[in-house]
Amino acid sequence: MQKRAPLVSRETLLPFILLTICFAAWGVAANMTDPLVKVFSKIFTMSSLQSALVQFAYYGAYFCLAIPAAFINKRFSYKTGVLTGLGCAAAGAFLFYPASQTMTYGFFLLALFVLAGGLSILETSANPYVMAMGCEQSATRRLNLAQAFNPVGTNLGVFLAATLILPNLNQASAEQRASMSAAELKSIIGAELDAVMVPYVGMAFVLVVVWIAIACIKTPVNESTEQRAENIQFGASLKRLLLNRHYRFGVLAQFFNVGAQTCVWTFTIQYAMTAIGGNEVDGGQVLQYSMIVFLISRFVMTWLMQYLYPAKLLMIMSLIAAGLCIVMTQAPNMVGVVSLVAISACLSLMFPTIYGIALEGLGEDTKLGAAGLVMAILGGAILPLFQAAIIDSWSVIVSYVVPALCFLLVAGYGLFDIKNKATRTTTANNSNSAPVTVK
């Protein structure tokens, strides 16, 4: 009996642990940033559309830096990409300190862009780096283990926002703030922005420690696995990807999936406050419940995939999520809030499932294809702006039609893949059963 390949060798155990911290780090940053839309809207007394620029800056940076990250990995190594990403992310997090001192919204957007740009490079580099830390037979299991720490980070991010940022918001309304003296208002805003700054600067120090540790530790990797990234012909690979309808639809589905996810979580606090009352802290608790459901459901969905074809499960969960959004618009009360939390159960499988389906069968184009799917995160930058515009014109209740439409498009990709699979199976069967003519 052949001995099973080890998941992580003794030599790579410590580097692997350090990289799993990176997987958690971008989860922390993404979900600590979601409540900032509501936070900045209150601090700077601005519209929902203006405050939604937080997500535009964050996810826009992911789009801009995905391809440069692929070039860094190709020209140098995955380790260089990870260190570059960590360095940029730490710099962006440190920028929250001068931003809090200048009390300028634009400075915070710049800090978020630099932070997210670093995380884009980090995420694009860390995934293949983990896979290269050992033999090919265990690469997929090793990556799945590292990815399991991402939802742990998302929960920690919401917890930090709910305990360090939201409770420190002054409860004065926009009208009350308008009637304050300039000195009094400046004092209140300064205290609130200091609360925003603290967890980000704390995260920056953690990233610096991880950067030093990874830089100092020699990491043995599977050179043949890493070398394949350097053999990619970008022009030819890009042309093949653009001609691949299954992949193109997958990128589009990922765009709407990330957009829907960002919309749902970004405006959770506002929806909860409108539907059942309370303040930002109460809304933050609803967001925390959503993250817990998201974490648990990721394991449940993995188990369900033993019995259901992934694309079919994706289609079912997307349709359920769209239905829950409609319920939210019709029942803006506790029923709507429960529906809002339940959407996270549906979201838990979408990103990795679309990712896997879209990359299926790409062969040597997989590396560049993966970068394209990271760029699809741009949906998280654009679609919340549409939802914010609806909030400003109508209400946060009505605005959840935006993620509902996104989920329907994601369901369409699931149906598309199911039909494609049926076509491929039929073609293969017909080819195998075709009569052989002997001349």
Side-chain angles (χ1 to χ4, degrees), residues 260-345:
Q261 175 179 294
T262 308
C263 286
V264 168
W265 289 343
T266 296
F267 300 105
T268 288
I269 294 176
Q270 286 172 261
Y271 182 92
M273 290 173 63
T274 302
I276 58 176
N279 55 27
E280 288 82 5
V281 176
D282 300 320
Q285 289 177 343
V286 174
L287 184 57
Q288 184 74 74
Y289 298 148
S290 298
M291 294 302 103
I292 293 172
V293 169
F294 180 79
L295 173 61
I296 296 172
S297 297
R298 174 156 286 187
F299 294 99
V300 174
M301 295 300 169
T302 301
W303 174 77
L304 285 174
M305 283 184 185
Q306 298 177 85
Y307 308 100
L308 284 173
Y309 180 59
K312 186 174 184 180
L313 189 58
L314 174 69
M315 182 183 71
I316 292 170
M317 289 298 120
S318 299
L319 291 174
I320 291 174
L324 290 170
C325 287
I326 299 303
V327 170
M328 289 172 60
T329 64
Q330 301 303 308
N333 47 39
M334 185 55 72
V335 173
V337 172
V338 171
S339 300
L340 174 57
V341 173
I343 290 173
S344 291

Side-chain angles (χ1 to χ4, degrees), residues 148 217 237 316:
I217 293 175
S237 182
I316 292 170

Side-chain angles (χ1 to χ4, degrees), residues 25-26 28-29 32 89-90 93 115 119 198-208:
W26 65 70
V28 171
M32 191 161 61
L115 168 64
L119 294 176
V198 167
Y200 282 93
V201 172
M203 183 175 69
F205 282 108
V206 173
L207 294 176
V208 169

Side-chain angles (χ1 to χ4, degrees), residues 36-102:
L36 290 187
V37 174
K38 176 59 180 173
V39 169
F40 286 139
S41 176
K42 183 166 189 173
I43 293 175
F44 294 109
T45 316
M46 59 177 62
S47 69
S48 296
L49 180 58
Q50 289 173 310
S51 60
L53 289 174
V54 165
Q55 301 294 33
F56 185 81
Y58 189 91
Y59 289 101
Y62 258 84
F63 173 80
C64 293
L65 274 296
I67 293 298
F71 276 103
I72 291 172
N73 293 330
K74 178 179 181 295
R75 175 65 179 83
F76 301 101
S77 66
Y78 295 137
K79 182 174 181 178
T80 302
V82 167
L83 292 175
T84 303
L86 281 170
C88 289
F94 276 125
L95 283 176
F96 271 73
Y97 176 74
S100 69
Q101 300 306 301
T102 59

Side-chain angles (χ1 to χ4, degrees), residues 145-383:
L145 177 60
Q147 287 177 335
F149 287 85
N150 178 254
V152 175
T154 63
N155 275 273
L156 180 57
V158 174
F159 175 77
L160 290 173
T163 55
L164 298 178
I165 299 176
L166 297 178
N168 290 296
L169 290 181
N170 191 287
Q171 293 305 309
S173 65
E175 293 76 15
Q176 291 172 325
R177 289 173 185 250
S179 65
M180 293 178 182
S181 66
E184 186 180 5
L185 183 59
K186 183 177 181 181
S187 176
I188 288 175
I189 292 177
E192 291 173 325
L193 294 179
D194 283 344
V196 171
M197 172 267 297
V198 167
Y200 282 93
V201 172
M203 183 175 69
F205 282 108
V206 173
L207 294 176
V208 169
V209 171
V210 175
W211 188 98
I212 293 172
I214 292 177
C216 293
I217 293 175
K218 185 177 180 181
T219 311
V221 297
N222 185 336
E223 293 296 337
S224 62
T225 302
E226 186 165 4
Q227 184 65 33
R228 280 195 292 271
E230 299 186 15
N231 295 329
I232 297 175
Q233 299 297 320
F234 277 89
S237 182
L238 179 61
K239 184 177 180 180
R240 287 191 295 269
L241 289 173
L242 291 175
L243 292 173
N244 187 324
R245 188 170 61 153
H246 187 267
Y247 173 75
R248 292 199 316 267
F249 197 175
V251 171
L252 191 63
Q254 198 70 288
F255 175 91
F256 286 107
N257 164 54
V258 176
Q261 175 179 294
T262 308
C263 286
V264 168
W265 289 343
T266 296
F267 300 105
T268 288
I269 294 176
Q270 286 172 261
Y271 182 92
M273 290 173 63
T274 302
I276 58 176
N279 55 27
E280 288 82 5
V281 176
D282 300 320
Q285 289 177 343
V286 174
L287 184 57
Q288 184 74 74
Y289 298 148
S290 298
M291 294 302 103
I292 293 172
V293 169
F294 180 79
L295 173 61
I296 296 172
S297 297
R298 174 156 286 187
F299 294 99
V300 174
M301 295 300 169
T302 301
W303 174 77
L304 285 174
M305 283 184 185
Q306 298 177 85
Y307 308 100
L308 284 173
Y309 180 59
K312 186 174 184 180
L313 189 58
L314 174 69
M315 182 183 71
I316 292 170
M317 289 298 120
S318 299
L319 291 174
I320 291 174
L324 290 170
C325 287
I326 299 303
V327 170
M328 289 172 60
T329 64
Q330 301 303 308
N333 47 39
M334 185 55 72
V335 173
V337 172
V338 171
S339 300
L340 174 57
V341 173
I343 290 173
S344 291
C346 304
L347 283 169
S348 63
L349 89 157
M350 291 187 187
F351 187 92
T353 303
I354 295 171
Y355 195 93
I357 293 173
L359 293 180
E360 185 179 350
L362 291 185
E364 63 182 286
D365 298 329
T366 299
K367 300 284 185 178
L368 188 58
L373 287 165
V374 172
M375 293 177 71
I377 289 176
L378 182 66
I382 294 176
L383 293 172

Side-chain angles (χ1 to χ4, degrees), residues 115-145:
L115 168 64
L119 294 176
S120 175
I121 298 172
L122 178 62
E123 188 168 348
T124 306
S125 306
N127 284 296
Y129 195 20
V130 165
M131 295 181 71
M133 283 186 170
C135 62
E136 261 187 286
Q137 290 88 336
S138 61
T140 302
R141 288 189 295 128
R142 189 163 49 253
L143 181 58
N144 284 334
L145 177 60

